[in-house]
Amino acid sequence: MRPLDILLLSWRQLKQRRLRSVLTILAVAVGVTTIITLSAQVEGAKVSIIESLGKLGPNTIIVTVRGGTPFTDADVARLKGLEGVSKVAPMLALQNVRVAGLQDPVTLIGISSVEIIDFLGEVKLIDGSIYLDVPAPQALIGYNIAVDDTGQSRYKAGQPILVQSQRPLMLIVVGVLDNYGTALMIVSPDKAVFMPLEYAKNLVRGGGYTVILVKAASVENVDQVAELIGYLFGARASITSIKQITEIVVSITSMINILLLAIAGTSFIAAGLGTLNIMMISVLERVREI
């Protein structure tokens, strides 16, 4: 039989069994589309997480206090003296802080205006400016705090904002951050209130810091610096490097993609068997004609 005769016979069969043909094509198309969509979503999530982590820098190490004893200025000085450390940025983070007009809690962060650039990667403002490093009740607030779900402004630069921490605080908004959309390792900038570090320390009994960002001199010696910090603090601190987290994220997303490919392979085999079954039935129905 000539190839043209085969094509004509196949086309006539498809036209006569339109519903069966459409359902077969849809079964294959839906399977392929689903796998591609899931794989794209996993890849997009990986890119988003890595981009968010990249704002802190691949050479950043996050040292978080473990237990109730905060870090002191002496601890910060010891970190600065470690070999391979280029920069140390102490912070004071208070979780589950209430803000007037908001139902969800936010995070109150005391950090130097110089160090906030390293923390956010880029300071994007839609109103006002960054606060001054003086012990005054100033606040730089996140986008979700300043703007409600309908796009209406709750707070603007120059307005007071009432914060309920260990005691009620009245702060003056000096700036409003743009929408970052992603959460960093420590906190989401969109749901945070930043204030001068010295003023924040006055709010906490005994002062001290809860988080310290350490910048290694290069990406190559991040693991070495993290090990030295571990020896320095022992069980007092939890140490996490951005490089380490990035590697874990890449590894997990790769495993998820492999799992999706395995599921896709199984689905394609099942779809192929179903298509073969339909084709055999069609052939048996048309044996005499063929």
Side-chain angles (χ1 to χ4, degrees):
M1 183 178 289
R2 296 178 302 170
L4 181 61
D5 294 334
I6 296 175
L7 290 175
L8 291 175
L9 186 62
S10 301
W11 176 249
R12 186 170 61 182
Q13 176 66 18
L14 290 175
K15 289 181 64 178
Q16 291 178 353
R17 299 290 187 272
R18 293 179 182 176
L19 180 60
R20 181 188 297 174
S21 302
V22 170
L23 291 177
T24 303
I25 294 171
L26 281 177
V28 176
V30 168
V32 173
T33 304
T34 302
I35 297 303
I36 293 175
T37 302
L38 290 174
S39 181
Q41 287 180 343
V42 172
E43 189 66 24
K46 181 183 76 173
V47 172
S48 177
I49 294 172
I50 292 177
E51 182 181 351
S52 175
L53 294 173
K55 293 178 181 178
L56 291 173
N59 62 331
T60 300
I61 302 170
I62 302 173
V63 185
T64 309
V65 67
R66 182 183 293 170
T69 305
F71 300 119
T72 62
D73 291 324
D75 294 327
V76 175
R78 283 198 292 267
L79 284 174
K80 291 180 179 179
L82 291 179
E83 182 180 356
V85 173
S86 62
K87 194 173 185 180
V88 177
M91 299 169 48
L92 177 60
L94 302 177
Q95 304 289 340
N96 297 322
V97 176
R98 295 289 177 177
V99 173
L102 270 74
Q103 293 183 350
D104 297 330
V106 302
T107 304
L108 187 65
I109 298 179
I111 185 171
S112 167
S113 61
V114 177
E115 313 298 349
I116 196 174
I117 299 175
D118 292 330
F119 177 69
L120 296 177
E122 178 187 5
V123 179
K124 300 183 293 184
L125 294 167
I126 59 174
D127 189 20
S129 60
I130 302 178
Y131 49 75
L132 301 175
D133 283 325
V134 294
Q138 308 170 78
L140 178 65
I141 62 176
Y143 183 84
N144 290 348
I145 299 175
V147 181
D148 61 19
D149 296 336
T150 63
Q152 299 295 320
S153 177
R154 292 194 189 98
Y155 298 102
K156 294 182 179 180
Q159 292 182 340
I161 181 172
L162 180 61
V163 176
Q164 179 67 45
S165 180
Q166 296 179 353
R167 63 177 186 270
L169 300 173
M170 185 65 72
L171 307 175
I172 301 299
V173 178
V174 297
V176 176
L177 294 171
D178 198 356
N179 187 13
Y180 281 78
T182 55
L184 302 178
M185 277 300 300
I186 304 171
V187 67
S188 171
D190 297 333
K191 297 179 180 179
V193 176
F194 299 91
M195 61 168 53
L197 180 59
E198 293 303 320
Y199 184 77
K201 287 172 64 177
N202 294 333
L203 303 177
V204 180
R205 184 179 300 174
Y209 314 103
T210 57
V211 180
I212 301 178
L213 298 182
V214 179
K215 295 280 187 179
S218 64
V219 180
E220 288 73 19
N221 63 352
V222 167
D223 295 334
Q224 179 184 354
V225 172
E227 189 175 354
L228 289 175
I229 297 173
Y231 289 144
L232 180 64
F233 290 115
R236 280 187 58 202
S238 175
I239 303 166
T240 309
S241 68
I242 300 302
K243 176 185 174 183
Q244 203 174 36
I245 297 172
T246 303
E247 292 173 353
I248 293 173
V249 170
V250 172
S251 176
I252 292 174
T253 52
S254 298
M255 292 174 62
I256 293 175
N257 273 326
I258 292 173
L259 177 62
L260 290 176
L261 289 176
I263 295 173
T266 305
S267 301
F268 287 147
I269 292 173
L273 292 175
T275 304
L276 178 61
N277 183 39
I278 293 174
M279 292 174 63
M280 293 298 297
I281 293 173
S282 299
V283 170
L284 291 175
E285 289 177 351
R286 294 295 181 180
V287 167
R288 185 174 300 176
E289 180 181 345
I290 293 173

